[in-house]
Amino acid sequence: MKKESIRALLETICEYNNVRITQTFTKEDVDQILVKCVPDTQILELTYLHTGTVEQYQSVTEAAEVIHQALYSPVVV
């Protein structure tokens, strides 16, 4: 998924911030990141499913960059 497509999806989630929309991003058939917009705000909440870590972003562009990197950066072992 291109970074621009991720950004557009996040913008849509924020646009409908009074509705509970949740998006799950998957890498290699494993759910990685759960994204939702905090109700009645423009804050995106990212939950990393393997650690339970929660991060919040006010910038859609920044959140899209973080998601894109998590999904497409090579894993260093």
Side-chain angles (χ1 to χ4, degrees):
M1 180 177 242
K2 293 181 180 181
K3 198 181 314 180
E4 180 59 33
S5 298
I6 295 171
R7 189 178 67 73
L9 181 61
L10 297 179
E11 286 176 347
T12 300
I13 291 171
C14 283
E15 183 178 342
Y16 296 99
N17 62 15
N18 59 343
V19 178
R20 291 185 179 165
I21 299 173
T22 303
Q23 175 66 44
T24 304
F25 289 91
T26 303
K27 180 178 182 180
E28 297 175 3
D29 295 325
V30 178
D31 292 346
Q32 299 290 318
I33 303 171
L34 185 94
V35 180
K36 63 182 179 180
C37 189
V38 176
D40 301 317
T41 71
Q42 295 294 306
I43 298 172
L44 289 162
E45 187 172 275
L46 280 61
T47 302
Y48 294 86
L49 299 173
H50 62 285
T51 63
T53 303
V54 177
E55 297 178 351
Q56 292 186 338
Y57 294 91
Q58 292 184 356
S59 166
V60 170
T61 302
E62 185 179 1
E65 178 66 35
V66 168
I67 292 167
H68 191 268
Q69 284 182 343
L71 296 179
Y72 298 105
S73 61
V75 176
V76 178
V77 180

